[in-house]
Amino acid sequence: MSLHLYDTSARTVREFVPVESGRASIYLCGATVQAPPHIGHIRSGVNFDVLRRWMIRSGYDVTFCRNVTDIDDKIIRVAAAEGVPWFVVAERNQRAFTWAYQILGCLPPTVEPRATGHVPEMIELMERLIAAGHAYPAGGDVYFDVVSYADRYGSLSNQRLENMRAAGDTDTDSAKHDPRDFALWKGEKPGEPTWPTPWGRGRPGWHLECSAMATKYLGPTFDIHGGGVDLIFPHHENELTQSQAAGDGFARYWMHNGMLKIGAEKMSKSLGNSLLIPEVTKKVRPVELRYYLAAPHYRSAIEYSEEALAEAAAAYQRIEGFVTRAAEVIHDVDAHAPLPQAFVDALDDDLGTPQALAVVHEVVKEGNVALAQGNKEQVARLLAETQNMLDVLGLDPRSEQWRSSGDDSGLRATVDALVGVALEQRQAARARKDFAAADGIRDQLARAGIVVEDTAQGPRWELSR
Ligand SMILES: [Zn+2]
């Protein structure tokens, strides 16, 4: 089996065949930076990071473009409320997003374009659309003429133009030829930032900017366009429409991740704040949060609950426990050891992370048995398999990313030596049958945050969490 992906526009799973053999191009709609991200915003970053890692592992040279929408109505509103320029809000929240992606182990994008840096490309696209008879300037805005494209508009979201309602995306809807026409460009309004165009000053429409940035960096036809399901209509429909109406092939596969839902409870402000990344990472470590977001299938909705978050953390700790113990015995891990076929099949089948993680847990279980039996050869093989699988998912506890956030290897060696001294004294106390003293040493270590465990291979320790 080769990589197959669910394509929203085809409404079925299709084999992935890239535009150019050996290469893959992905455009992911990134943040609109009006506020710092909560875990729902970062889910798509994690899901598409797993896709990217899997494609890299499968041998593709991947170009990954994730944009930043740094101007829109909400950013302008937030800035006005704070009495600061729009770019203060955009910069501040872009930093919060970058930090969140980074601490969750998302590889930095190949390119991260910002809308306001691509106005010339947007003007060019509008000129092409106007020349082709698919767009028109009116009342300071520029609109896409949906009737001129009636037979194809709605193909991505599977609806027909006659059933669509007014776009309602500008204050000057009266200037539109048809209420369903959507804005490519929004004319100047008092107090708003503007950029010059042949049709007057104004600012980018959301849909237009993604088309302009995607084709600038990935070419007129590229492989995959991604985003949350909430973006299918109107955002992605409009991107597809305006790019194809201008003559570009645009994305060949459309992938959409499910939403993170907050149950029946309304997303109150305090609950919303408690789901900001710095808050959630007080409850679980970033790697555990990544596990929580990556473990369900990317197309399914996640119903947020603290219990599920804690369960994900516990599941990750079981994997981590094996890797940590095994690595104490095995020092050379074969980074090129083959992945279990079931794991490969799971990810090739529309990125089946639940099945892929089931394989990881299965291997970990076997690994724990091998550890208990002292079967070093088996442990070496299973550790290599586990770490290689975790690497694909961005969850290897021994990777640079997660190691640096946990302990300092120099300090660990020092603590190891000190704990060794204490454990020798404990052994000596036991040998002379002074069990009170032996337990006292263990308790003292526990108070210092060190958990001692007796194994067939002798005592081992780790920091308590
Ligand atoms: Zn977009």
Side-chain angles (χ1 to χ4, degrees):
M1 189 170 169
S2 58
L3 180 59
H4 283 62
L5 299 168
Y6 183 86
D7 176 8
T8 306
S9 67
R11 283 173 280 284
T12 186
V13 173
R14 293 169 58 206
E15 183 182 6
F16 177 71
V17 182
V19 177
E20 199 183 324
S21 170
R23 300 178 68 92
S25 44
I26 304 173
Y27 184 88
L28 176 62
C29 283
T32 298
V33 285
Q34 86 264 15
H38 62 67
I39 57 174
H41 294 123
I42 296 298
R43 179 185 183 187
S44 99
V46 169
N47 287 156
F48 284 91
D49 185 60
V50 172
L51 171 69
R52 180 184 182 187
R53 286 170 184 262
W54 180 233
M55 293 182 109
I56 292 170
R57 184 78 184 202
S58 304
Y60 291 103
D61 180 357
V62 180
T63 305
F64 189 88
C65 180
R66 186 186 65 213
N67 75 295
V68 176
T69 295
D70 60 344
I71 189 73
D72 92 322
D73 296 351
K74 281 164 274 173
I75 294 169
I76 291 169
R77 268 205 298 277
V78 172
E82 290 184 13
V84 298
W86 63 276
F87 53 79
V88 170
V89 173
E91 289 284 350
R92 181 181 71 214
N93 292 313
Q94 185 180 345
R95 280 195 295 276
F97 268 88
T98 300
W99 173 82
Y101 288 127
Q102 198 270 324
I103 68 151
L104 287 183
C106 296
L107 301 171
T110 316
V111 58
E112 190 169 32
R114 293 161 61 123
T116 57
H118 296 77
V119 171
E121 289 82 355
M122 295 182 220
I123 292 173
E124 195 193 316
L125 182 52
M126 286 189 282
E127 281 171 340
R128 287 163 64 200
L129 285 169
I130 290 171
H134 291 299
Y136 58 92
D141 306 324
V142 180
Y143 292 100
F144 187 90
D145 179 350
V146 294
V147 174
S148 77
Y149 208 66
D151 51 335
R152 294 180 66 188
Y153 187 54
S155 65
L156 178 66
S157 54
N158 198 20
Q159 50 182 336
R160 298 197 53 80
L161 182 59
E162 57 261 34
N163 301 325
M164 290 185 199
R165 281 182 289 181
D169 52 0
T170 50
D171 303 334
T172 48
D173 273 8
S174 55
K176 291 180 179 185
H177 295 174
D178 185 295
R180 296 163 299 185
D181 290 349
F182 58 87
L184 299 170
W185 187 264
K186 300 183 177 188
E188 178 167 22
K189 283 195 208 68
E192 289 191 1
T194 59
W195 288 261
T197 76
W199 315 284
R201 298 188 69 91
R203 61 182 171 94
W206 179 30
H207 319 307
L208 183 76
E209 64 190 52
C210 280
S211 282
M213 291 186 278
T215 51
K216 168 162 180 163
Y217 294 101
L218 305 179
T221 302
F222 58 94
D223 293 312
I224 297 171
H225 193 310
V229 283
D230 56 333
L231 299 184
I232 296 174
F233 190 86
H235 185 49
H236 289 169
E237 187 73 65
N238 292 353
E239 279 187 44
L240 176 65
T241 295
Q242 69 211 357
S243 284
Q244 291 197 333
D248 295 338
F250 212 54
R252 299 173 72 242
Y253 297 81
W254 287 86
M255 293 178 68
H256 293 98
N257 63 278
M259 296 288 96
L260 185 127
K261 297 180 175 169
I262 321 290
E265 200 177 341
K266 201 167 159 287
M267 178 83 156
S268 64
K269 191 156 189 214
S270 62
L271 182 62
N273 286 343
S274 75
L275 295 182
L276 293 174
I277 308 295
E279 294 305 312
V280 179
T281 52
K282 283 176 192 160
K283 298 186 185 106
V284 297
R285 292 174 297 158
V287 67
E288 293 163 347
L289 176 55
R290 181 178 170 101
Y291 182 98
Y292 170 75
L293 294 173
H297 192 267
Y298 76 90
R299 286 200 285 128
S300 58
I302 296 180
E303 199 76 49
Y304 176 78
S305 75
E306 295 237 341
E307 297 72 36
L309 185 63
E311 275 166 30
Y316 182 73
Q317 286 165 23
R318 281 197 293 280
I319 298 171
E320 187 182 34
F322 165 67
V323 171
T324 309
R325 284 150 195 258
E328 288 168 6
V329 186
I330 308 297
H331 302 293
D332 273 324
V333 177
D334 180 4
H336 302 287
L339 295 163
Q341 192 56 43
F343 179 86
V344 172
D345 291 345
L347 291 184
D348 273 348
D349 184 8
D350 193 28
L351 222 58
T353 52
Q355 295 79 5
L357 278 166
V359 178
V360 173
H361 282 285
E362 210 42 58
V363 171
V364 162
K365 214 189 279 177
E366 265 183 76
N368 282 328
V369 172
L371 264 178
Q373 292 170 341
N375 186 339
K376 253 182 116 164
E377 210 174 302
Q378 277 281 75
V379 173
R381 181 177 65 81
L382 297 167
L383 175 62
E385 278 187 5
T386 304
Q387 279 197 253
N388 289 342
M389 289 190 284
L390 292 175
D391 180 57
V392 168
L393 303 170
L395 289 168
D396 181 3
R398 300 185 73 222
S399 65
E400 191 80 15
Q401 169 87 25
W402 307 120
R403 220 209 299 241
S404 58
S405 68
D407 56 25
D408 177 293
S409 55
L411 199 56
R412 185 168 174 102
T414 307
V415 176
D416 200 32
L418 289 171
V419 174
V421 172
L423 290 178
E424 266 172 40
Q425 290 173 355
R426 175 165 165 265
Q427 276 313 105
R430 280 177 160 188
R432 60 175 192 271
K433 303 216 184 308
D434 184 355
F435 295 112
D439 290 349
I441 290 169
R442 192 197 52 207
D443 294 346
Q444 271 184 304
L445 286 171
R447 278 197 293 280
I450 288 162
V451 184
V452 176
E453 182 193 5
D454 292 300
T455 74
Q457 286 76 37
R460 62 180 292 282
W461 69 271
E462 62 182 29
L463 296 178
S464 61
R465 289 197 188 93

